[in-house]
Amino acid sequence: MNKEDYFIQQFTNQTKLIGDDAAVVGNMVYSQDAFFENVHFKREWMSLKQIAAKAMLVNISDAIAMNAKPLYALLTVAIPKDFSTSDLRKLANGFKKVAKDYGIKIIGGDTISNEKLDISVTIISKSQNPIYRSGVKIDDLVCYTGDLGSCKKDLKKALKGKKIASKSKLIKPKLKGDFFYDISKYVNASLDISDGLFFELERLSKASKVNFEFFDKISSDIGTSGEEYEMLFTFSKKNLEKIMQSAKKHNISLNIFAKAIKGSFKTDAKNHHF
């Protein structure tokens, strides 16, 4: 068990709200993610506007994975002492652009002075039918959206000091909200791929007490590419045609790669995150 899992376990015995992409309280859904300089990014990799935008998007991704519509955001920003007013405007514009795109109101938060740029975002959402990691059923098909692997490649490039394309998912995650909301009534369990496919499958396995039978071998480059923010979900085979029709309508590529079976799944892959 890593230190992060150990720390989270200190609280899970006190409440059943912990353990998914977000916490559901009534019909309200709460998610929070940190985005810290030299932990999640280096400032030379991205513009300030891109940094703020990604900090918002990774939190919105959690809401989508829970089938929740984001409504409000709280921002905590630790601002480097050498930031100019121009820097602050660029940072603010990144937050505001994503908030506008997703119909979110920024309602408060906190700012402090710091040596590095550290950001924490809380997204408050609403859902009438939240989807949990614990809903996988035996014989469910297991699927992820889009393509995996590019973020791992781009991270390796960034760590070598090479420039990353602005369209890279490592810079700007490509969320699939419209598609996922459309198919949500057919989905049994879901989460977003933030730590890599293999790690997310282990989380699904732990929550739903299932194993997975892979149709084809998945390479390490695909299975351990983190920060993809593609959707990973399971569904009954009887709903396959409806989901495929929605994917075509929204121009989303789907990868149905496994089915749920009895047992448990655990990966021995190493986390490649920066």
Side-chain angles (χ1 to χ4, degrees):
M1 182 184 298
N2 63 34
K3 292 178 182 178
E4 180 182 347
D5 290 340
Y6 177 80
F7 184 72
I8 292 170
Q9 276 202 358
Q10 307 311 302
F11 306 96
T12 52
N13 292 333
Q14 299 177 27
T15 175
K16 295 182 179 180
L17 300 176
I18 296 173
D20 280 275
D21 286 283
V24 180
V25 183
N27 62 357
M28 302 305 292
V29 180
Y30 303 86
S31 58
Q32 183 186 57
D33 262 322
F35 200 53
F36 286 9
E37 185 175 353
N38 296 333
V39 176
H40 303 96
F41 68 91
K42 283 183 175 289
R43 222 189 298 171
E44 55 264 32
W45 295 353
M46 308 161 69
S47 70
L48 292 174
K49 186 175 181 180
Q50 288 171 332
I51 289 169
K54 183 172 181 181
M56 288 283 284
L57 288 168
V58 299
N59 275 275
I60 294 169
S61 180
D62 284 337
I64 293 171
M66 298 293 296
N67 190 34
K69 296 290 183 72
L71 300 173
Y72 307 105
L74 293 163
L75 311 178
T76 295
V77 184
I79 302 169
K81 296 174 182 178
D82 62 350
F83 266 30
S84 66
T85 54
S86 175
D87 291 331
L88 296 176
R89 281 196 303 272
K90 292 172 184 175
L91 197 64
N93 286 340
F95 290 121
K96 291 192 291 184
K97 173 66 166 60
V98 175
K100 181 179 179 181
D101 289 345
Y102 285 86
I104 296 169
K105 293 181 180 179
I106 297 172
I107 58 172
D110 192 18
T111 57
I112 61 171
S113 179
N114 196 30
E115 299 302 320
K116 301 184 284 81
L117 175 60
D118 292 341
I119 300 168
S120 179
V121 178
T122 299
I123 296 290
I124 302 169
S125 312
K126 193 171 186 177
S127 178
Q128 299 301 327
N129 182 33
I131 300 174
Y132 299 92
R133 299 175 183 177
S134 58
V136 184
K137 296 178 171 56
I138 298 297
D139 291 329
D140 266 6
L141 295 176
V142 190
C143 178
Y144 65 83
T145 60
D147 297 315
L148 302 179
S150 65
C151 288
K152 186 172 184 176
K153 291 177 182 177
D154 286 344
L155 177 60
K156 287 180 178 178
K157 287 171 63 176
L159 291 171
K160 293 177 181 177
K162 297 180 180 179
K163 186 174 176 60
I164 311 169
S166 59
K167 64 180 181 180
S168 167
K169 288 194 292 181
L170 190 66
I171 301 294
K172 185 179 180 181
K174 296 174 175 60
L175 308 187
K176 309 295 194 301
D178 290 342
F179 163 70
F180 195 71
Y181 294 140
D182 194 27
I183 66 165
S184 61
K185 60 186 173 183
Y186 308 122
V187 174
N188 291 332
S190 62
L191 66 168
D192 64 357
I193 301 176
S194 58
D195 294 323
L197 176 63
F198 294 157
F199 292 97
E200 309 308 349
L201 287 172
E202 186 173 306
R203 289 176 173 133
L204 269 184
S205 172
K206 185 177 180 181
S208 291
K209 297 178 174 55
V210 296
N211 193 3
F212 304 102
E213 180 183 300
F214 291 80
F215 301 143
D216 294 295
K217 184 177 180 180
I218 294 178
S219 71
S220 175
D221 284 341
I222 290 175
T224 62
S225 185
E227 298 192 57
E228 295 278 353
Y229 296 101
E230 297 289 352
M231 298 302 302
L232 172 63
F233 59 97
T234 80
F235 59 93
S236 171
K237 187 177 181 180
K238 68 181 181 181
N239 294 317
L240 174 60
E241 185 176 346
K242 294 169 185 172
I243 289 173
M244 295 299 289
Q245 288 174 349
S246 178
K248 185 176 181 181
K249 180 176 74 174
H250 293 282
N251 194 28
I252 301 294
S253 63
L254 297 181
N255 300 274
I256 300 170
F257 65 95
K259 73 173 183 179
I261 60 175
K262 292 181 180 179
S264 62
F265 175 86
K266 189 171 180 61
T267 181
D268 58 1
K270 294 182 179 179
N271 194 322
H272 82 281
H273 269 204
F274 169 65

